[in-house]
Amino acid sequence: YKVLFEKFEASKYQEVINSCEDEIIRFEGDEIVPKFELLKTSAKGRLYGFKDYKEGLNYIALNYPNSPEGKQSQDLIDNVLSSLEDDSFEDFSVGSHFKTIFKFNSEEQDFVKEFKEKMTKLVEQEDVLQLNVSEDIYDINTTFVVIHGLKSINGAKGFTALIDEGDNAIFERPFFAISSENYKTLQIHKNLDRYLEVYKN
C-alpha cells in the first residue's frame, strides 16, 4: 500500500488504479481492501474526473460502511462533494492568481521533461515575477506544463513575451491562460474542451 501511495503522490495514477485492482482481488475479504479501494478512487478522480470519483466514493460507502474508509467516503459524500459538483467557469478576469498552460499529448511525453527543464531555466531568469513551473497530469492522454504565479489573465496570456524570443520551441507551442479557480474546476471535471471553446471566444 505504501509503495502505491508513493506512486499516487508521484502522479502515476493509471499505474495505481491497475495495481489497486490487482491487490483488491489478491486480498479479497481482508480489511486492507477498503484502503486499496479508496486509493483507487482517489487516483480515478485525478485522472478521469468528478463523476468517477463520486461513483467510487458511493461504492466504498455502500460496500464497506463500517470500515474507516467507508466512513471517510460517506463523510466526503455528505460534506465535500456538493462543493465540487459545479462545473461552471468563473469570469476570466476574476481572481488574483493565474497560470499559463502548455498542453502535451501522450505521444509527446519524451518532450515534456525537456520542455519543463527549459521553461524552469527561463522562469528562474525572470526575477521581477516569482514564477514556478510544474508538470501536471490532466488525463490519460494529456499532460500540462504549468507556469504558476501570474497576477492577471493578460499577464498569463502574454507570458511568452517575457521569454527570450530566440527560443522557437516555446513560441511554437500552443498555450492558454486560466485563473487558479478555473484550473481547479478544469482538473476536477476534465472539461478542457468547453474551457478552450469559451477561452477562444
Side-chain angles (χ1 to χ4, degrees):
Y1 178 85
K2 189 178 172 216
V3 169
L4 287 182
F5 189 77
E6 285 169 359
K7 287 183 178 180
F8 174 81
E9 291 189 314
S11 302
K12 296 178 178 176
Y13 302 128
Q14 191 60 56
E15 194 176 331
V16 170
I17 293 164
N18 295 343
S19 297
C20 280
E21 286 173 350
D22 292 341
E23 298 304 316
I24 287 161
I25 293 165
R26 192 156 75 98
F27 287 101
E28 187 179 358
D30 195 289
E31 62 182 23
I32 198 170
V33 168
K35 283 175 80 76
F36 285 120
E37 287 283 6
L38 188 55
L39 185 59
K40 180 179 87 168
T41 291
S42 299
K44 285 183 92 169
R46 294 287 179 93
L47 198 56
Y48 298 105
F50 179 79
K51 187 180 169 203
D52 285 67
Y53 184 58
K54 183 177 180 179
E55 282 176 5
L57 291 179
N58 280 316
Y59 177 84
I60 296 163
L62 189 67
N63 288 281
Y64 308 99
N66 299 317
S67 70
E69 293 74 24
K71 290 171 183 171
Q72 185 183 345
S73 296
Q74 190 60 56
D75 184 57
L76 288 166
I77 291 163
D78 294 341
N79 300 305
V80 177
L81 282 190
S82 60
S83 68
L84 301 176
E85 200 127 23
D86 185 3
D87 66 352
S88 59
F89 295 111
E90 291 182 349
D91 185 285
F92 289 146
S93 59
V94 173
S96 55
H97 301 285
F98 294 83
K99 306 173 190 301
T100 303
I101 313 280
F102 295 87
K103 178 174 169 269
F104 298 83
N105 63 42
S106 53
E107 286 84 49
E108 300 176 292
Q109 289 308 306
D110 293 343
F111 185 48
V112 171
K113 187 180 176 190
E114 180 192 339
F115 186 90
K116 185 189 168 194
E117 285 171 0
K118 192 179 283 189
M119 187 60 79
T120 301
K121 282 181 187 168
L122 289 166
V123 160
E124 284 168 355
Q125 291 164 16
E126 212 302 301
D127 48 9
V128 177
L129 301 167
Q130 295 193 320
L131 306 175
N132 58 75
V133 182
S134 71
E135 178 185 332
D136 296 357
I137 300 295
Y138 172 69
D139 65 17
I140 197 163
N141 299 312
T142 310
T143 300
F144 293 150
V145 173
V146 184
I147 315 302
H148 305 265
L150 295 143
K151 301 299 180 194
S152 71
I153 193 72
N154 287 332
K157 284 179 180 176
F159 165 75
T160 55
L162 301 171
I163 297 168
D164 175 9
E165 291 189 30
D167 207 318
N168 293 328
I170 286 171
F171 272 84
E172 288 166 5
R173 193 82 223 164
F175 65 91
F176 62 94
I178 192 166
S179 69
S180 292
E181 205 53 43
N182 283 338
Y183 185 62
K184 183 180 167 189
T185 300
L186 184 75
Q187 283 287 20
I188 290 169
H189 292 281
K190 307 301 176 187
N191 48 0
L192 177 60
D193 288 344
R194 183 147 64 85
Y195 180 81
L196 291 177
E197 197 177 307
V198 178
Y199 172 79
K200 283 171 184 169
N201 291 333

